[in-house]
Amino acid sequence: MNKGERNTPGRQMAEHERAPLMLVEAHVDARGAQRPLYLDLADMVHLPEGCYMRDCTKMAGEVMTFAIRHRSERAVSNLPTPSRLPPRKRWIEQLPVARDRPLLGAAATLALVGAAFLLRLVADPLLPSGFPYVTFFPAVIVTSFFFGVRLGSVSALLCGLLAWYVFIPPTYGFALTQGAGFALAFYVFVVATDLALVHWMQAANSQLASERETSRQLAEMREMLFHELQHRVSNNLQVAAALLTMQKRQLTDVDARAAMDEAGARLALVGRISRQLYDPSGAAQPLVPFLAELCRGVIDASGRIDVDLQVLGNQRLRLEPDAAVPTALIVAEAVANAIEHGFGDGRAGRIVVEVERGVEGGLGVMVRNDGSGLPANFDLAASTSLGLRIASTLAQGQSGSFRLEGLEGTTTATLSLPAHLLTSDG
């Protein structure tokens, strides 16, 4: 990172009169993986030399209309919308069972009542008098719990009649004596309480399941809307970059064309960063993996396969989302400037990016290269390089600093940021 003005990432493509690729939308393939869908504005829009900016805007709008129609026809039908995702219910949320098969529920109710009656007959010699309902209460509770309060009420009626007829003296009859009336009243009170409790429990569980499903759908919808918004913002930036590239064709001044190239490339870079960086939940992304992918993209865009990259640091360091975009732009400028000026003479080399916490808990990002080094008496404050001025301004806007130093055959760009920009995970 060294001297003078330089090209920004993506300059090579602009010099060949090609507009940036625009990410229209991510579609889902047959295996469920998201694939990016790109449109090349240069291939789709051919402008004459005398085209004005309003013509460029109109054509770009037509491209966007085509992209939206393409997405609606081929991508949206495959998106995992809440209605297409089968909800995963807990087993208790599926109670009562057999709601749509009443015959099965009735058969199960009769089977439980019969089992309770047979068990009471078998246990009758072993039980003292005064326990006519001892095996019927569980049958009522189990029936109402698994098959609903309606079948539970039927079970309670059948069990009460069987107990009254067979086990309440005088047996094998429906004589309503004082003792039989007291026993029946006690039975009615107990089973009514059981049925009410089961009903309230199932109603509360059904409401909880409904609210959980609503929350799940809202969360999925929020994520879908978030990604949609991210694509729209990124696409708008890509369109703006493409318009600058198209407008550049009217210019004949070399410096003006270079300035348009740099502006378009920076807009495209911001779009790629914002798409890569943000999370629907608002959580900060791990900084080291993000910078590794970003720097690798800058090197690939330069076409240099002889420049090695190494990104080191604490994998748990996370930066606040609002500070991540300026930080990424500064690091991208440092890497791109190192490639152009440090290795501008075609020499091979290495770029090392180190991310660490400072003594006071702040963030430090060092971009080192073993290129040709800084010129003698280099002064960052007096530099006319637009990229270096942007890096310094962005750092100052975050209450940080940006330095450029040369020492022992290496050139180091250092970005220092205050501790409050790091999240608690760092």
Side-chain angles (χ1 to χ4, degrees):
M1 169 158 334
N2 309 325
K3 37 190 176 179
E5 282 292 342
R6 60 163 185 78
N7 297 334
T8 55
R11 177 76 175 272
Q12 291 78 3
M13 181 173 60
E15 290 177 348
H16 288 83
E17 299 295 335
R18 291 183 61 83
L21 291 174
M22 182 177 68
L23 177 61
V24 174
E25 188 57 270
H27 70 280
V28 181
D29 61 18
R31 294 181 294 179
Q34 288 194 357
R35 304 294 184 187
L37 175 63
Y38 288 98
L39 294 179
D40 191 329
L41 297 182
D43 289 341
M44 298 184 61
V45 182
H46 301 280
L47 300 180
E49 289 298 327
C51 177
Y52 295 100
M53 179 63 75
R54 60 176 178 268
D55 300 322
C56 299
T57 305
K58 179 181 177 181
M59 293 185 180
E62 294 174 355
V63 173
M64 291 292 290
T65 302
F66 169 82
I68 294 173
R69 185 183 300 114
H70 182 87
R71 179 183 62 85
S72 62
E73 293 175 353
R74 300 186 57 183
V76 166
S77 61
N78 295 324
L79 285 176
T81 58
S83 60
R84 296 190 182 98
L85 289 177
R88 299 180 60 183
K89 292 185 177 180
R90 303 175 183 177
W91 69 271
I92 198 172
E93 294 177 358
Q94 303 178 16
L95 298 177
V97 298
R99 301 181 189 182
D100 54 345
R101 291 187 288 180
L103 293 179
L104 177 61
T109 299
L110 293 177
L112 287 171
V113 172
F117 178 67
L118 292 176
L119 183 61
R120 182 63 181 81
L121 286 176
V122 172
D124 187 60
L126 305 176
L127 294 175
S129 60
F131 294 92
Y133 309 111
V134 66
T135 60
F136 293 108
F137 285 135
V140 174
I141 295 174
V142 171
T143 302
S144 60
F145 183 80
F146 285 101
F147 301 102
V149 174
R150 292 183 179 180
L151 290 179
S153 300
V154 174
S155 175
L157 178 61
L158 295 177
C159 290
L161 292 176
L162 287 174
W164 186 8
Y165 184 80
V166 179
F167 301 109
I168 297 179
T171 58
Y172 300 103
F174 294 105
L176 188 59
T177 62
Q178 182 178 3
F182 179 80
L184 288 174
F186 176 78
Y187 173 78
V188 170
F189 172 76
V190 172
V191 296
T193 302
D194 293 340
L195 291 175
L197 290 176
V198 171
H199 173 69
W200 291 336
M201 182 200 68
Q202 289 182 346
N205 188 63
S206 177
Q207 182 178 2
L208 179 62
S210 177
E211 292 178 354
R212 184 183 294 113
E213 176 65 14
T214 301
S215 299
R216 182 187 67 83
Q217 292 184 0
L218 289 176
E220 291 182 353
M221 187 61 64
R222 182 190 66 174
E223 183 174 355
M224 291 173 59
L225 291 176
F226 177 87
H227 287 303
E228 184 75 9
L229 177 61
Q230 285 297 101
H231 288 312
R232 291 294 170 260
V233 172
S234 299
N235 286 347
N236 290 339
L237 292 172
Q238 297 282 10
V239 168
L243 292 178
L244 291 177
T245 302
M246 295 174 183
Q247 190 69 13
K248 183 200 68 174
R249 298 175 182 177
Q250 304 179 42
L251 303 177
T252 57
D253 184 76
V254 176
D255 293 336
R257 292 171 65 90
M260 296 287 279
D261 282 343
E262 291 196 10
R266 287 192 176 96
L267 279 175
L269 180 61
V270 172
R272 291 194 297 271
I273 291 174
S274 63
R275 185 185 299 116
Q276 176 187 348
L277 187 62
Y278 290 109
D279 186 84
S281 64
Q285 300 297 308
L287 187 57
V288 172
F290 167 67
L291 291 182
E293 184 175 353
L294 173 68
C295 297
R296 175 51 59 191
V298 174
I299 294 177
D300 291 342
S302 69
R304 297 293 299 270
I305 62 175
D306 55 351
V307 176
D308 295 330
L309 174 67
Q310 187 176 14
V311 181
L312 308 173
N314 187 348
Q315 298 288 330
R316 297 179 57 192
L317 281 175
R318 297 171 183 264
L319 200 60
E320 291 291 343
D322 291 341
V325 171
T327 300
L329 288 173
I330 295 172
V331 174
E333 290 286 351
V335 172
N337 211 18
I339 294 173
E340 179 169 354
H341 297 296
F343 310 113
D345 54 359
R347 71 171 66 186
R350 168 177 293 188
I351 297 176
V352 179
V353 180
E354 295 185 24
V355 182
E356 62 182 22
R357 300 200 70 161
V359 178
E360 300 180 355
L363 175 69
V365 181
M366 283 76 67
V367 180
R368 297 189 177 93
N369 72 86
D370 55 357
S372 58
L374 291 172
N377 302 321
F378 175 80
D379 184 6
L380 178 61
S383 174
T384 60
S385 169
L386 178 60
L388 296 181
R389 294 205 306 269
I390 290 177
S392 299
T393 302
L394 290 175
Q396 294 172 5
Q398 301 181 88
S399 302
S401 63
F402 179 78
R403 304 190 310 273
L404 189 61
E405 303 168 324
L407 182 64
E408 297 179 357
T410 62
T411 302
T412 304
T414 303
L415 171 64
S416 300
L417 296 176
H420 71 270
L421 296 180
L422 289 172
T423 64
S424 58
D425 293 338

